[in-house]
């Protein structure tokens, strides 16, 4: 696998500011899309001060050449290609290649990459027995994270982070095995036998086969479902320095191996404020439908500062106009439901919710729009995928992005262990007193 690395931002001058009687000058850098940043890395050594930015709202953690997004304009590009262009013209495996290697594959590269993945789709037979130990009702994200972490126990031959051959085989193993590990977690919850992968199928068809076929009955994969899944995986494939990707980079920065880093990323993705929002969103739509479809009541609850309730599938840290991924998915959702003649009451509730929220001053003022998770759940439901598997599908989609970032981190000569500082606000120095005097 080749790799491209371009992490040079341009030096475009300095920023000067004063503090007391001190005048400080710090470098100003500019990325290839004109984004500017003040390089504060020398601030502490020169002034004794650090910066603080809880939740990293205004902090760039790295230079990166993988994904560009402009939240104001609703732009998302992988390696320079617009998400709309990629979604219309590529399949998920090509996108994985693009993210990991920097360029779209030519025909020979694509064939080699696909066959490299196919060679590794099965999981070790001993690993299958892990599943016997998980409770039947275990959440599949917990299983996914555990089994991916356990890959480090089976592939001890490929854990050197500075050996390109070992990294390459780990990448193939992850891309190939994640759908198998995921489908087995579903089979476990159903009490059904695991289905081996079928390597004559495409990446998405194979996953649907492992999910829905049984030894007693073959499953003919609906091409519309495979197409919709391909699209969903593409739009989830990367999103620059989001919570799970930053986790993968953080863990990777200590030189932890790729399996350990991805397992940690899966844990971060699980949270309902991140990837878990697609599951939380459908649960919320079900709750609204069961409660008589009173959409306004839930919009009011989301606005009420005394309530913890939030409209799941709304809002984004970066997108402040629309989420381009939501727009692509919305069109796919319409097409699929119309074709299948599915009259899903949840979709009706989703539409009403969107209409009410988009006109409401609270949501307009705060620029809260439907995000990618708002429609993905409705599509997954139409495909017969159970709610608990939604975030697992997000993880399968996000895997190439995590890998690309982990690789970029290790190729970056500026890479140092990620270690933020803090402003301490606890007790100042004190002495213990004997227990009877406390
Ligand atoms: N419902 C109601 N109010 C909201 C919502 C929401 N979904 N999202 C944000 N707000 C309000 C929030 O209360 C705050 O109001 P105020 O200024 O009066 O205090 C304001 O909008 C800004 O919110 P924030 O929490 O400071 O924004 P953030 O950038 O820290 O959080 C978010 C972004 C995505 C976590 C948040 O919008 C949210 O919780 N959304 C629901 C969960 C969700 O759909 N997550 C999926 C994100 S897209 C997939 C992914 O990439 O993971």
């Amino acid at each position: 696998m080749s790799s491209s690395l371009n992490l040079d931002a341009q030096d475009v001058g300095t920023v000067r500011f004063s503090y007391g009687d001190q005048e400080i000058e710090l470098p100003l850098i500019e990325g290839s899309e004109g984004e500017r940043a003040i390089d504060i890395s020398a601030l502490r050594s020169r002034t004794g001060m650090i910066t603080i930015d809880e939740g990293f709202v205004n902090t760039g953690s790295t230079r990166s050449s993988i994904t560009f997004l402009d939240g104001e304009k609703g732009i998302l590009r992988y390696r320079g290609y617009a998400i709309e262009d990629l979604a219309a013209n590529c399949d998920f495996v090509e996108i994985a290649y693009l993210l990991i290697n920097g360029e779209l594959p030519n025909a020979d590269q694509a064939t080699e990459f696909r066959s490299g993945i196919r060679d590794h789709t099965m999981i070790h037979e001993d690993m299958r027995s892990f599943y016997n130990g998980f409770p039947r009702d275990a959440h599949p994200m917990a299983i996914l994270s555990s089994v991916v972490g356990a890959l480090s126990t089976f592939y001890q031959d490929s854990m050197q982070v500075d050996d390109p051959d070992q990294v390459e085989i780990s990448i193939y193993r992850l891309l190939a095995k994640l759908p198998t590990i995921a489908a087995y977690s579903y089979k476990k919850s159903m009490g059904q036998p695991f289905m081996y992968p079928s390597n004559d199928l495409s990446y998405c068809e194979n996953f649907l086969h492992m999910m829905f076929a049984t030894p007693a009955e073959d499953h003919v994969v609906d091409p519309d479902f495979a197409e919709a899944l391909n699209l969903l995986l593409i739009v989830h494939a990367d999103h620059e320095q989001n919570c799970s990707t930053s986790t993968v980079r953080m863990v990777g920065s200590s030189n932890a191996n790729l399996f350990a880093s991805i397992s940690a990323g899966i844990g971060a993705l699980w949270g309902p404020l991140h990837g878990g929002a697609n599951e939380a969103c459908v649960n919320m739509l079900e709750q609204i439908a069961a409660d008589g479809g009173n959409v306004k009541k839930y919009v009011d609850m989301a606005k009420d500062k005394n309530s913890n309730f939030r409209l799941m599938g709304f809002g984004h840290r970066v997108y402040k106009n629309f989420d381009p991924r939501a727009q692509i998915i919305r069109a796919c959702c319409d097409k699929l439901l119309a074709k299948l003649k599915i009259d899903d009451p949840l979709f009706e509730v989703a539409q009403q919710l969107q209409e009410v929220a988009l006109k409401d001053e609270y949501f307009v003022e705060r620029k809260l729009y439907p995000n990618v998770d708002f429609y993905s759940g409705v599509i997954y439901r139409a495909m017969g995928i159970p709610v608990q598997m939604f975030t697992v599908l997000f993880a399968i989609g996000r895997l190439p992005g995590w890998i690309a970032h982990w690789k970029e981190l290790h190729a970056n000569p500026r890479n140092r262990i990620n270690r933020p500082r803090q402003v301490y606000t606890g007790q100042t120095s004190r002495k213990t007193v004997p227990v009877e005097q406390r």
Side-chain angles (χ1 to χ4, degrees):
M1 274 190 250
S2 63
S3 198
S4 88
L5 185 73
N6 176 15
L7 296 178
D8 288 332
Q10 258 187 299
D11 283 324
V12 287
T14 54
V15 172
R16 201 175 301 168
F17 64 95
S18 56
Y19 172 70
D21 53 5
Q22 249 187 315
E23 180 109 329
I24 297 136
E25 210 170 69
L26 292 171
L28 186 65
I29 60 165
E30 187 174 281
S32 54
E33 289 283 352
E35 288 171 312
R36 290 190 163 195
I38 305 166
D39 180 348
I40 53 111
S41 45
L43 184 69
R44 187 167 176 276
S45 61
R46 294 185 43 200
T47 67
M49 287 188 294
I50 60 164
T51 55
I52 185 151
D53 178 22
E54 289 184 43
F56 306 121
V57 179
N58 199 50
T59 295
S61 57
T62 187
R63 294 153 169 89
S64 178
S65 63
I66 300 169
T67 286
F68 172 70
L69 67 94
D70 181 331
E72 306 302 324
K73 297 192 185 128
I75 294 173
L76 172 61
R77 296 188 203 124
Y78 300 158
R79 303 284 191 186
Y81 297 102
I83 188 67
E84 295 80 3
D85 183 8
L86 293 171
N89 296 305
C90 297
D91 78 5
F92 176 65
V93 175
E94 289 173 287
I95 303 293
Y97 186 98
L98 170 69
L99 287 167
I100 295 168
N101 299 304
E103 296 294 339
L104 282 168
N106 62 29
D108 288 345
Q109 289 165 332
T111 305
E112 191 189 328
F113 191 59
R114 286 182 209 284
S115 110
I117 294 175
R118 284 201 181 103
D119 284 348
H120 295 281
T121 48
M122 287 193 295
I123 62 171
H124 196 289
E125 286 294 301
D126 290 346
M127 193 168 247
R128 283 163 58 104
S129 57
F130 275 18
Y131 287 79
N132 298 334
F134 292 120
R136 169 104 174 258
D137 58 354
H139 196 288
M141 281 298 275
I143 297 184
L144 199 69
S145 172
S146 313
V147 179
V148 169
L151 290 172
S152 307
T153 66
F154 283 84
Y155 301 109
Q156 297 178 37
D157 60 341
S158 60
M159 298 203 304
Q160 290 301 324
V161 299
D162 51 2
D163 180 330
D165 292 337
Q166 294 195 20
V167 170
E168 178 170 356
I169 193 158
S170 297
I171 292 174
Y172 278 127
R173 282 175 174 148
L174 274 164
L175 290 170
K177 292 182 199 306
L178 200 67
T180 313
I181 295 169
Y184 284 9
S185 70
Y186 170 63
K187 288 298 195 192
K188 162 83 189 176
S189 72
M190 296 296 287
Q192 287 181 4
F194 299 158
M195 293 300 294
Y196 282 111
S198 183
N199 285 349
D200 53 342
L201 298 175
S202 73
Y203 196 82
C204 291
E205 288 168 341
N206 186 33
F207 175 72
L208 293 171
H209 156 79
M210 289 187 288
M211 285 281 292
F212 298 119
T214 67
E217 209 169 316
D218 200 13
H219 174 79
V220 181
V221 174
D222 184 324
D224 290 328
F225 290 2
E227 194 189 315
L229 180 58
N230 180 57
L231 189 71
L232 283 160
L233 296 186
I234 290 174
V235 300
H236 283 95
D238 193 42
H239 215 231
E240 48 118 302
Q241 311 305 323
N242 57 86
C243 176
S244 55
T245 302
S246 299
T247 303
V248 170
R249 290 187 85 122
M250 171 72 87
V251 175
S253 79
S254 75
N255 282 352
N257 72 68
L258 187 56
F259 302 128
S261 307
I262 300 293
S263 169
I266 293 170
L269 186 74
W270 190 8
L273 298 187
H274 189 14
N278 54 16
E279 179 179 341
C281 180
V282 164
N283 290 338
M284 175 192 76
L285 295 175
E286 267 171 1
Q287 189 187 341
I288 300 175
D291 196 12
N294 187 350
V295 164
K296 192 173 171 305
K297 173 178 159 191
Y298 287 85
V299 171
D300 289 343
M301 248 162 71
K303 288 158 44 177
D304 180 358
K305 293 292 171 199
N306 296 317
S307 140
N308 288 330
F309 180 78
R310 281 192 167 198
L311 281 192
M312 287 294 141
F314 271 78
H316 198 273
R317 170 64 59 82
V318 181
Y319 293 124
K320 297 299 173 197
N321 268 325
F322 63 90
D323 181 339
R325 304 168 300 171
Q327 289 198 330
I328 296 172
I329 290 181
R330 169 81 207 254
C332 164
C333 186
D334 287 347
K335 194 176 133 198
L336 202 67
L337 294 190
K339 179 151 189 185
L340 296 173
K341 299 197 171 37
I342 291 178
D343 191 12
D344 188 342
L346 255 55
F347 189 56
E348 189 57 35
V349 172
Q351 265 175 327
Q352 283 177 28
L353 195 62
Q354 177 175 269
E355 271 165 39
V356 176
L358 287 184
K359 284 190 203 127
D360 192 289
E361 206 179 312
Y362 174 98
F363 289 85
V364 175
E365 243 177 36
R366 288 168 181 75
K367 302 189 171 176
L368 302 171
Y369 295 85
N371 59 46
V372 67
D373 291 324
F374 192 66
Y375 288 106
S376 60
V378 182
I379 303 178
Y380 289 141
R381 264 170 72 90
M383 289 162 64
I385 293 185
V387 180
Q388 284 207 326
M389 288 295 288
F390 291 1
T391 314
V392 170
L393 282 158
F394 193 151
I396 296 175
R398 185 55 53 90
L399 179 64
W402 289 332
I403 293 172
H405 283 271
W406 188 93
K407 266 189 83 182
E408 185 179 74
L409 166 101
H410 285 290
N412 185 351
R414 291 187 192 88
N415 178 36
R416 300 170 76 185
I417 188 165
N418 286 193
R419 205 303 187 180
R421 288 184 179 267
Q422 63 166 16
V423 174
Y424 176 69
T425 58
Q427 296 279 356
T428 52
S429 177
R430 52 182 177 160
K431 295 246 182 294
T432 55
V433 288
V435 68
E436 60 280 3
Q437 290 171 30
R438 284 179 220 153

